[in-house]
Amino acid sequence: MSQWEYAPAPESRDIANLKPKYRPFIGGEFVDGSGDPSKTVNPATEEVLAEVGTASASDVDTAVKAARKAYERVWGPMPGTERAKYVFRLARLIQERARELAVLETLDNGKPIKESRDSDVPTAAAHFFYHAGWADKLDYAGFGPDPRPLGVAGQVIPWNFPLLMLAWKVAPALATGNTVVLKPAETTPLTALVFAEICQQADLPPGVVNIVPGAGDIGAAVVEHPDVDKVAFTGSTEVGKHIQRTLAGTRKRLTLELGGKAANVVFDDAPLDQAVEGIVNGIFFNQGHVCCAGSRLLVQESIADELLDKLRARVSTLRLGDPLDKNTDIGAINSPEQLAKIKELVASGEQDGAQRWTSSCPVPEKGWFFAPTVFSGVEQSMRIAREEIFGPVLSVLTFRTPDEAVAKANNTPYGLSAGVWTEKGSRILWMADRLRAGVVWANTFNRFDPAAPFGGYKESGFGREGGRTGLEAYLHVQG
Ligand code: NDP
């Protein structure tokens, strides 16, 4: 297929205001963490972006103490009408610094600037706006009169949506009157530390938000700290299970948002060109580093060949490369470890006998990239049909009847999301009733809204984030 030629349109990296060194944020101050400093790297160029001071377990203890003090003396007793003003101010400041945050996110994570600019950062601001609106209305949220906050929330987030996952965690916690100790992922700490500057700019009382960069052991120190009342974790199912085991028998409240292997189900009456756009968005958005990615395409057998032809033609037009270029569709893979994992699973797909098709788009020599790939002839027993690849790789399976589609879609230990493509409203409702997934999108995919609760079934975790339901995870409510 012929492709448009695009002149380079790079966003300026100066907008990111990169500093040579970033430090943990505890008790309202940036402090020298006593952990070993780490370096954060641009995955598209492999250059070091900045040094990051990390927290030690004793810094986590200091952060939890600061959060406890702020909770008891200031934030917990503060009327919701006052808390709302702070949360609103955070939202406004994220908007004001949106370009800086978007460029910084793209540099640190590798995602295309058009995604960080048009999706991650605006949605992060939207979460703060939405929750600011709840802060003074909790008495009327249906949780009984005067629902109380839990106390100190320990929050651990992954690298795929660094600022957005922070917003999903911090906004509801603050709106409901809790204070926070948050650990960003080791490979993507920068936007969280700029958010700490925003907390200072907003005059947020010291200790209400604390950010402790570090690796998994610091996440464990946050989760296991005895004075943390609530743990919220987003990441791999493996670490989620470990956290659940660790917290079993303690009084801590827990929500887990873990992996997924979502089915995107296309029936023979679906508008195919529209479905192709949805399939592309479902698996190639954010390089497929999305827990709710539509990584298993289930297509009705009678239209499989036609749909696959259209899909390959469309995927051939995706532009891979410099994430700062405004025309880039697919950016860099966040780390060499993740790239190795993708390659290993792709090799297993080939060994198991699935047919691999990979776009012939040019791939930069420097940096960590993986060209968009579609496997057809995939059997349910193959690893590429069962395991989360977390990369730009789609596994295509076929079905003949709606019952078979449901059986195959639900044949996974996960249950985070699903998509249904059909022109029949009744079939959408029939499918949505049967799919064991926290979110079911109809004739669309990857739509997010702070008002819509998000969360999983089975090994995708439990608890909901967003919406009125998401508030409950941060409140003592009357049963
Ligand atoms: P992890 O689950 O290891 O990381 C998520 C967060 O938890 C990070 O901040 C990590 O720290 C931290 N962490 C690691 N170990 C512990 C622990 N024992 N206690 C508390 N916190 C801990 O995911 P990875 O980044 O290693 O990715 C591995 C795989 O997980 C991916 O290939 C993908 O399949 C899946 N994944 C799923 C995500 C989702 O949204 N569902 C998000 C990210 C990954 P640090 O990173 O600094 O070591």
Side-chain angles (χ1 to χ4, degrees):
M1 177 181 215
S2 68
Q3 204 173 328
W4 291 91
E5 292 293 329
Y6 285 80
E11 182 60 284
S12 162
R13 57 176 283 159
D14 294 348
I15 298 166
N17 286 330
L18 256 183
K19 290 193 271 290
K21 181 154 188 194
Y22 290 78
R23 296 188 296 162
F25 182 67
I26 298 176
E29 305 280 338
F30 288 96
V31 299
D32 288 324
S34 44
D36 293 332
S38 68
K39 292 191 170 29
T40 191
V41 172
N42 180 346
T45 59
E46 302 177 42
E47 69 175 313
V48 172
L49 290 169
E51 185 178 295
V52 179
T54 67
S56 64
S58 103
D59 297 323
V60 170
D61 185 51
T62 311
V64 173
K65 286 197 171 90
R68 173 64 55 193
K69 192 168 147 195
Y71 171 69
E72 282 175 358
R73 300 202 186 157
V74 189
W75 199 249
M78 187 184 283
T81 44
E82 292 306 307
R83 276 203 315 271
K85 292 179 194 167
Y86 284 104
V87 181
F88 186 75
R89 222 179 279 167
L90 293 172
R92 287 299 306 269
L93 286 162
I94 291 173
Q95 272 189 329
E96 272 173 32
R97 296 179 69 172
R99 277 190 82 192
E100 173 192 352
L101 286 164
V103 175
L104 192 61
E105 196 77 304
T106 283
L107 285 171
D108 205 18
N109 170 279
K111 65 176 69 202
I113 185 69
K114 71 174 178 189
E115 291 182 5
S116 47
R117 181 196 62 195
D118 298 346
S119 177
D120 292 51
V121 177
T123 316
H127 270 265
F128 282 95
F129 279 121
Y130 174 82
H131 286 94
W134 270 120
D136 61 350
K137 300 174 194 70
L138 298 173
D139 289 354
Y140 314 102
F143 302 127
D146 197 24
R148 304 301 306 152
L150 301 176
V152 176
Q155 307 181 321
V156 179
I157 55 171
W159 46 263
N160 52 343
F161 292 95
L163 184 70
L164 185 57
M165 287 302 105
L166 175 149
W168 280 30
K169 300 270 177 289
V170 173
L174 297 194
T176 46
N178 301 274
T179 56
V180 163
V181 178
L182 177 133
K183 190 201 88 70
E186 192 182 11
T187 57
T188 54
L190 297 187
T191 46
L193 294 167
V194 170
F195 177 77
E197 286 176 24
I198 287 176
C199 292
Q200 282 186 327
Q201 254 182 301
D203 273 335
L204 197 70
V208 173
V209 168
N210 304 273
I211 311 273
V212 286
D217 58 328
I218 297 308
V222 170
V223 165
E224 290 166 24
H225 194 287
D227 204 27
V228 161
D229 301 293
K230 189 242 153 49
V231 171
F233 172 80
T234 296
S236 62
T237 293
E238 188 192 349
V239 173
K241 283 182 180 174
H242 174 77
I243 291 175
Q244 191 175 11
R245 279 194 294 270
T246 311
L247 298 196
T250 71
R251 64 179 175 80
K252 290 179 194 174
R253 294 262 296 268
L254 174 63
T255 42
L256 295 174
E257 202 265 271
L258 309 175
K261 192 76 188 175
N264 205 357
V265 185
V266 183
F267 285 96
D268 58 5
D269 62 344
L272 288 196
D273 292 319
Q274 195 183 326
V276 164
E277 292 307 310
I279 295 162
V280 167
N281 172 294
I283 185 61
F284 300 118
F285 175 65
N286 202 32
Q287 295 74 245
H289 303 323
V290 185
C291 48
C292 54
S295 52
R296 278 185 304 150
L297 174 64
L298 300 188
V299 52
Q300 198 149 15
E301 201 177 83
S302 54
I303 53 157
D305 289 344
E306 185 187 355
L307 184 75
L308 272 171
D309 285 347
K310 282 177 182 283
L311 183 64
R312 291 189 197 108
R314 176 68 179 95
V315 175
S316 310
T317 68
L318 297 177
R319 289 174 297 274
L320 178 144
D322 179 6
L324 275 181
D325 193 308
K326 292 168 201 157
N327 294 320
T328 292
D329 298 305
I330 301 197
I333 303 300
N334 183 246
S335 64
E337 292 77 23
Q338 189 61 30
L339 183 57
K341 186 185 156 189
I342 295 167
K343 286 183 174 167
E344 197 244 320
L345 275 158
V346 165
S348 87
E350 288 181 300
Q351 274 154 22
D352 289 346
Q355 287 88 58
R356 172 180 176 176
W357 174 89
T358 295
S359 168
S360 55
C361 62
V363 177
E365 279 177 15
K366 197 111 176 113
W368 308 308
F369 290 89
F370 197 86
T373 294
V374 177
F375 273 108
S376 52
V378 176
E379 302 290 336
Q380 294 189 85
S381 56
M382 296 178 184
R383 284 181 68 200
I384 56 169
R386 291 185 288 116
E387 295 181 29
E388 190 177 39
I389 302 176
F390 227 61
V393 181
L394 178 67
S395 300
V396 184
L397 298 90
T398 58
F399 66 91
R400 289 183 181 167
T401 64
D403 282 325
E404 189 187 349
V406 170
K408 283 186 168 165
N410 288 341
N411 185 14
T412 165
Y414 297 112
L416 198 51
S417 67
V420 180
W421 297 83
T422 170
E423 66 168 24
K424 291 187 187 64
S426 57
R427 184 177 275 165
I428 289 170
L429 296 175
W430 188 90
M431 290 290 290
D433 248 4
R434 287 162 180 76
L435 292 170
R436 305 297 292 161
V439 181
V440 179
W441 285 293
N443 294 328
T444 187
F445 210 89
N446 273 342
R447 303 283 284 202
F448 301 100
D449 190 298
F454 183 91
Y457 278 87
K458 301 191 283 186
E459 294 197 11
S460 291
F462 49 80
R464 294 292 177 265
E465 292 184 306
R468 190 195 73 90
T469 323
L471 301 170
E472 198 172 338
Y474 288 93
L475 289 169
H476 289 292
V477 297
Q478 290 180 350

